[in-house]
Amino acid sequence: MSACVPTRHDHSSRSSRPPRSSGIKRPHSPPPPHRGGRFRIAGADVSASITVFLLAVPMSLGLAVAMDAPLEAGLISAAVGGIVAGLLGGTPLQVSGPSAGLTVVTAELIQIYGWRTTCAITIGAGLLQILLGSLRAARSALAVSPAIVHGTLAGIGVAIALAQLHIVLGGSPESSAVSNALTLPARLEQVVPAAPLIGGLTVVILVLWPRMPGRPGRILRRVPAALVSVAVATAVAAIAAPSIARVDLPSWRSHVLPEMPQGPVLGLATAVFTMMLVASLESMLAAVAVDKLAADRNSERSADLPEPGSGPTATPPLKRSDLDRELRAQGIANAVSGLLGGLAVSGGAVRSSANVRAGATSRASTVLHGVWVLLATGLLVTALEWIPLAALGALVMVVGIQMVNRAHIRNVRKHREFLVYGATISGVLLFGVLKGVAIGIAVAVAVALHRLARTRITVTEQDGRHLVVVRGQLTFLAVPRLNRTLGQLPQNADVLVELDGFFIDHAAYEMIQDWSNAHAAHGGRVVFSGRSGGRIAEPPSAAHSCCRPWTPWRNHHCHDRHDLAGPTSPAGPTERTGTAPASASASASASAPGTTDNPAPFHPAPLHPGPIPTPPPSDGTASTASTASTASTASTASTASTGDASGTGGDTGGTDTTGAAPGGLPPAGTQHAGTQHADTRPPPALPTDYTPDHDAAPARRTGGQRLVSGLSSFQRNTAPLVREELARLAREGQRPSQLFITCADSRLVTSMITASGPGDLFTVRNIGNLVPPPHSERGDDSVGAAIEYAVDVLGVDSITICGHSGCGAMNALLGAGPDTPNTPLWRWLRHGVPSLKRMASKRHAWARISGRLPADEVEQLCLTNVVQQLDHLRAHVSVARRLAEGTLQLHGMYFHVAEAQSYLLTEGIGAGHGLDEVFDRVGPSAPYDPYEPAELARTGA
């Protein structure tokens, strides 16, 4: 929820507040601490920048060697990536620099066009990234299949490893991965022991250093393994192999800058696009990975913190990455790096993960790392020239091997996309990066089409019943085989058709319907079911309202409606039974008077209570049909009600114009065939003029039946989906982010209207969403205890008070008189009297919905009540303390039931009335975050 309500503190004097007529806006919530406009550097960022710097220098030199580029170009790109991309990027903790993913692409471009033209291509790729980032196309980079992306990076890693193996063996790499593999035997015959030994020593340290055990190991592991391996290899080479090939940094006076590109236009355009594609994909994937690492780190730190108010607080979480801004920053960094004669830049997962694990808290660590690299290029040239090329080659070779991630391979195999993964790797190794990606996309499309068209049909016979299982999607391509299979079944057979798929096109539907009707006409019996065994029997007109496992709250349940379906479903005039209770009710009602084989169509009950116009009297035929529709679907209890209208209970509320209630019971007050009279007794006198919600509610199945049926539906459909998440919550305990105080009205489903899942909301429900003030004579400790527990123990971030339209409690308050009885209900509703006084007061602005006046007095009071209860909430000690600390936000919310529309309390300037309490409409285009815990739970990600 993105809006907060105006925050007021009881301890602040009225004289310190700006008058309403001044037009000055009051703050929505306590402002965050003032940070100033300067670039602040924390101690954790300084230490993290040094760690990343020590990792980046050998990596940059090694990648420059692998690309056969000038060695100073790697240092330039590291400095530019850290400073430029760090300052401008949308992922504060991501560290950019020369990329292992671009090694193969850059090496090939240098061999074809030369170094200076390659710098110009880098500039072009950067400008294209800026354009795409301005067009907000960054998210589209993540739309590519993960199998293709990881296959591309794995292919590049294999190519890097093959090329660097030649350097480790003391030689130089060839122009392609295939050539490197073919010439490897000849290289082994010419090997000189010094280079392989230094390379092997580097590899051993890289592998063993992160695995050092014990407390000393934890201390030593703070130093990057790359730095330790290169330093040790350099020291050993200086003593044991003084003549080994080493880094040769040329003078900066001889540094070359880009030139105008020379070559065919199509080839240059392809080179620019390829470099942009690989750099963008790697940067976007690294940004998403950094977000996950930062979130995991914050979660671990939050779990280790003491209870709120008893110790230090966690570091404020960083905002999620702005991928479009990150892409634009990467483009600017590439353009600057190319202009200065550096390598192409992209976000690096290795450097970024080291930055997060080293404790970085802001972009200052990334920028400082670039500053340290820039200083090293001028001050550490002599020390860098002692590094052996074999050590750098071994370092980059290990990085290339690590790009073939076993976790990615397992994940791809689990999702049955290994063919796409393997094809992409092969394409990258044999034909290059761009052609390899194209091959991967082509294979992915072919696999998707194969899965769409693939349908497995099996027929088995069990206990005299033929079971036809159809697995996969039913399209016109599967119609001939399915028609042939169904046509071979005996004409009078009892057939169960199990459809295990999520798509049936028109041709398949027509064929199934025609066969079902023909089979029934020859004396056969057909039942359609899904994979779980639940029978499919809803007509096409009602298919859109069929219940789904995550919506067991629906007022018209599928298990209540299967028997109401007419004979227009695919099974034709065959069996239409739904669940066992429904079939039992059908048999029990077979002897009811007036039953027929043509039940009336089903119409859902109205969503809001209130009187419904009674239909005009109809003839006996219509009445009989109406009675039949209820008798054919109701349970034994509802069958008895058809014989005597007085047995239905004498409500005079409105009736459903269809003559059938959702639960299969006859609507209250309806006359049926054989009924001698209708109960027209007036409702009992009430102490007020308001109408209780239940007076107009439609008839329901008995509570026990609905409870058992609902529980069975949950165990069958919903429990398998939420069991793993609930088990996690049982292990870890609850960590809700919000306290949600709302009315006990059954029409308000908090998890539905807030799109939240288990563990997200700590909910308090009462009549009228009231918050009794603390220390009052009529105080209520239950609500106060819930507030204290949520704020002080659970540490929620926000509290929401949610009212709704047509609230019975507000209706009752408006109709209350001086002779109101002293019952528990009315003693509780007295906590809403301040809302009545506020609405009548001229000192307070009207609470209203933005763009319109309140529809009636009830809506006015419902809105005002939300604002008043927020004032009561601020009076609680724990809430006032957290508001003063700036760690809690308050929200006011109004839900219009009939419109299914939410409104959030904000501030607005009324025309001539000063500051109003305005509820703004929440539209479907509100900012959407797919990484929210509630959204991840809903989508199963």
Side-chain angles (χ1 to χ4, degrees):
M1 299 178 183
S2 59
C4 309
V5 300
T7 303
R8 304 170 186 164
H9 304 280
D10 292 341
H11 57 74
S12 60
S13 62
R14 288 187 176 271
S15 61
S16 63
R17 302 179 188 173
R20 290 181 178 269
S21 58
S22 65
I24 300 175
K25 293 191 69 175
R26 291 173 291 176
H28 286 279
S29 58
H34 181 67
R35 297 182 180 275
R38 293 180 299 172
F39 185 77
R40 296 183 179 273
I41 302 174
D45 290 328
V46 175
S47 61
S49 69
I50 295 174
T51 300
V52 180
F53 158 72
L54 297 176
L55 172 65
V57 170
M59 283 282 293
S60 302
L61 293 174
L63 291 173
V65 171
M67 299 177 192
D68 198 20
L71 297 184
E72 67 271 16
L75 299 175
I76 291 173
S77 61
V80 170
I83 297 174
V84 177
L87 282 174
L88 304 178
T91 309
L93 300 186
Q94 176 159 281
V95 182
S96 301
S99 164
L102 287 167
T103 301
V104 176
V105 176
T106 307
E108 185 178 358
L109 294 179
I110 292 174
Q111 290 183 357
I112 297 175
Y113 298 107
W115 171 243
R116 301 185 66 182
T117 301
T118 301
C119 291
I121 292 173
T122 302
I123 297 173
L127 296 177
L128 188 55
Q129 285 180 310
I130 296 173
L131 175 63
L132 292 176
S134 301
L135 295 175
R136 298 187 176 277
R139 287 280 176 188
S140 62
L142 302 179
V144 183
S145 169
I148 298 175
V149 175
H150 296 310
T152 302
L153 296 178
I156 293 172
V158 173
I160 291 173
L162 288 174
Q164 297 311 295
L165 183 57
H166 283 267
I167 296 179
V168 172
L169 295 176
S172 57
E174 300 295 330
S175 59
S176 67
V178 176
S179 300
N180 284 323
L182 294 177
T183 58
L184 189 58
R187 181 67 61 193
L188 291 173
E189 295 176 358
Q190 304 172 1
V191 67
V192 178
L197 289 176
I198 295 297
L201 176 63
T202 305
V203 172
V204 169
I205 296 176
L206 284 171
V207 173
L208 296 182
W209 188 261
R211 295 173 172 81
M212 295 184 64
R215 183 176 180 183
R218 288 197 302 272
I219 298 175
L220 292 175
R221 285 199 300 268
R222 296 179 181 177
V223 183
L227 176 66
V228 175
S229 62
V230 173
V232 172
T234 301
V236 171
I239 299 173
S243 61
I244 195 172
R246 304 178 188 275
V247 169
D248 183 16
L249 286 174
S251 171
W252 285 104
R253 296 178 181 177
S254 61
H255 182 67
V256 294
L257 297 177
E259 65 178 3
M260 290 299 295
Q262 300 176 2
V265 176
L266 181 60
L268 291 172
T270 303
V272 169
F273 180 79
T274 303
M275 183 174 288
M276 180 278 302
L277 177 66
V278 176
S280 301
L281 283 175
E282 190 168 15
S283 297
M284 297 302 100
L285 289 175
V288 174
V290 168
D291 277 347
K292 185 178 183 302
L293 287 174
D296 292 344
R297 184 188 66 180
N298 289 340
S299 299
E300 293 173 0
R301 290 183 177 180
S302 299
D304 296 336
L305 287 175
E307 294 182 357
S310 61
T313 58
T315 303
L318 292 167
K319 292 183 178 180
R320 198 164 292 281
S321 295
D322 183 346
L323 295 185
D324 294 306
R325 178 180 174 183
E326 181 65 30
L327 185 57
R328 290 193 297 270
Q330 294 292 333
I332 296 173
N334 271 316
V336 173
S337 180
L339 283 172
L340 297 178
L343 295 172
V345 170
S346 75
V350 176
R351 292 184 295 267
S352 300
S353 61
N355 190 37
V356 174
R357 292 190 177 99
T361 60
S362 70
R363 64 179 72 247
S365 64
T366 303
V367 177
L368 283 177
H369 130 269
V371 173
W372 306 144
V373 173
L374 187 62
L375 293 176
T377 59
L379 302 178
L380 300 179
V381 174
T382 303
L384 296 177
E385 289 183 340
W386 279 92
I387 300 176
L389 291 179
L392 295 179
L395 171 63
V396 178
M397 182 180 69
V398 171
V399 172
I401 294 173
Q402 291 174 345
M403 292 174 71
V404 186
N405 194 309
R406 288 188 297 176
H408 292 160
I409 295 175
R410 288 195 297 268
N411 196 33
V412 166
R413 290 188 61 183
K414 182 176 69 174
H415 292 282
R416 299 184 301 166
E417 292 187 340
F418 189 78
L419 179 61
V420 179
Y421 183 83
T424 307
I425 291 180
S426 302
V428 170
L429 292 175
L430 296 176
F431 306 107
V433 174
L434 191 60
K435 294 180 180 177
V437 172
I439 291 173
I441 292 175
V443 174
V445 172
V447 169
L449 291 176
H450 172 71
R451 290 174 179 172
L452 181 63
R454 184 186 181 190
T455 306
R456 290 181 294 174
I457 305 172
T458 59
V459 180
T460 57
E461 186 174 356
Q462 300 175 354
D463 301 328
R465 167 180 283 192
H466 291 77
L467 173 62
V468 180
V469 180
V470 182
R471 303 205 184 280
Q473 319 322 318
L474 271 177
T475 64
F476 65 95
L477 298 174
V479 166
R481 287 192 297 123
L482 181 60
N483 195 11
R484 182 170 56 253
T485 301
L486 296 177
Q488 294 174 353
L489 298 174
Q491 291 186 350
N492 58 349
D494 186 2
V495 181
L496 173 61
V497 181
E498 181 181 310
L499 302 176
D500 181 10
F502 59 84
F503 177 75
I504 301 178
D505 71 358
H506 187 219
Y509 179 84
E510 291 283 354
M511 189 277 296
I512 292 176
Q513 186 179 42
D514 294 342
W515 171 82
S516 175
N517 292 336
H519 190 78
H522 288 85
R525 184 167 173 268
V526 181
V527 175
F528 289 87
S529 75
R531 184 174 187 178
S532 61
R535 293 171 179 173
I536 301 173
E538 61 273 7
S541 61
H544 69 280
S545 59
C546 179
C547 297
R548 298 215 169 99
W550 279 97
T551 56
W553 44 265
R554 292 200 64 142
N555 225 6
H556 28 279
H557 293 257
C558 285
H559 51 257
D560 291 339
R561 299 177 48 221
H562 286 323
D563 298 326
L564 294 170
T568 58
S569 65
T574 58
E575 179 177 331
R576 294 286 183 263
T577 55
T579 58
S583 59
S585 66
S587 62
S589 61
S591 59
T595 56
T596 77
D597 292 332
N598 298 311
F602 170 77
H603 295 275
L607 292 177
H608 56 84
I612 303 173
T614 305
S618 57
D619 58 15
T621 305
S623 183
T624 302
S626 176
T627 307
S629 69
T630 59
S632 63
T633 59
S635 63
T636 306
S638 67
T639 305
S641 71
T642 62
D644 183 6
S646 62
T648 64
D651 277 348
T652 59
T655 64
D656 191 348
T657 56
T658 65
L665 295 175
T670 337
Q671 291 190 0
H672 304 286
T675 301
Q676 301 299 322
H677 64 277
D679 191 351
T680 57
R681 291 173 296 174
L686 296 173
T688 66
D689 295 332
Y690 82 99
T691 303
D693 289 347
H694 64 78
D695 276 4
R700 297 279 185 159
R701 294 169 61 184
T702 60
Q705 291 172 330
R706 294 192 63 83
L707 176 64
V708 174
S709 181
L711 292 175
S712 299
S713 178
F714 170 82
Q715 295 300 142
R716 181 175 62 253
N717 297 323
T718 310
L721 300 178
V722 301
R723 185 171 287 118
E724 183 178 352
E725 175 66 10
L726 292 179
R728 183 188 67 81
L729 291 172
R731 293 192 306 269
E732 300 176 1
Q734 61 169 332
R735 295 180 186 175
S737 60
Q738 301 179 53
L739 167 60
F740 201 87
I741 303 175
T742 188
C743 185
D745 193 294
S746 63
R747 297 165 296 177
L748 262 69
V749 184
T750 57
S751 59
M752 176 184 69
I753 62 179
T754 60
S756 55
D760 291 337
L761 298 180
F762 186 73
T763 306
V764 174
R765 306 188 68 150
N766 59 53
I767 297 176
N769 47 275
L770 301 177
V771 180
H775 313 304
S776 65
E777 296 180 359
R778 299 186 301 272
D780 182 86
D781 288 338
S782 65
V783 178
I787 294 172
E788 181 181 348
Y789 183 80
V791 174
D792 291 341
V793 179
L794 298 178
V796 296
D797 301 324
S798 66
I799 303 179
T800 301
I801 295 182
C802 176
H804 68 96
S805 62
C807 181
M810 299 301 104
N811 209 339
L813 281 172
L814 287 171
D819 55 346
T820 301
N822 188 24
T823 63
L825 173 62
W826 288 102
R827 285 196 298 271
W828 169 256
L829 288 179
R830 288 193 182 109
H831 296 300
V833 172
S835 300
L836 273 174
K837 295 180 179 179
R838 185 188 188 101
M839 187 176 73
S841 172
K842 295 182 179 180
R843 296 187 301 108
H844 296 282
W846 269 22
R848 60 183 178 84
I849 292 176
S850 177
R852 68 174 176 87
L853 293 176
D856 51 29
E857 196 176 21
V858 177
E859 183 173 82
Q860 177 67 67
L861 183 56
C862 291
L863 297 170
T864 304
N865 183 58
V866 173
V867 180
Q868 181 63 37
Q869 300 312 312
L870 285 167
D871 281 350
H872 292 176
L873 182 62
R874 295 185 191 95
H876 285 259
V877 176
S878 56
V879 175
R881 184 185 67 254
R882 289 281 303 277
L883 288 175
E885 295 171 355
T887 58
L888 182 67
Q889 290 183 334
L890 304 185
H891 304 276
M893 177 181 165
Y894 177 75
F895 185 75
H896 198 292
V897 177
E899 297 175 357
Q901 178 62 56
S902 300
Y903 299 88
L904 283 176
L905 179 61
T906 57
E907 288 182 325
I909 302 297
H913 299 287
L915 214 56
D916 292 345
E917 305 291 358
V918 181
F919 289 78
D920 285 338
R921 179 179 181 273
V922 179
S925 59
Y928 163 72
D929 187 357
Y931 301 98
E932 283 293 331
E935 188 65 18
L936 290 173
R938 185 181 70 83
T939 59

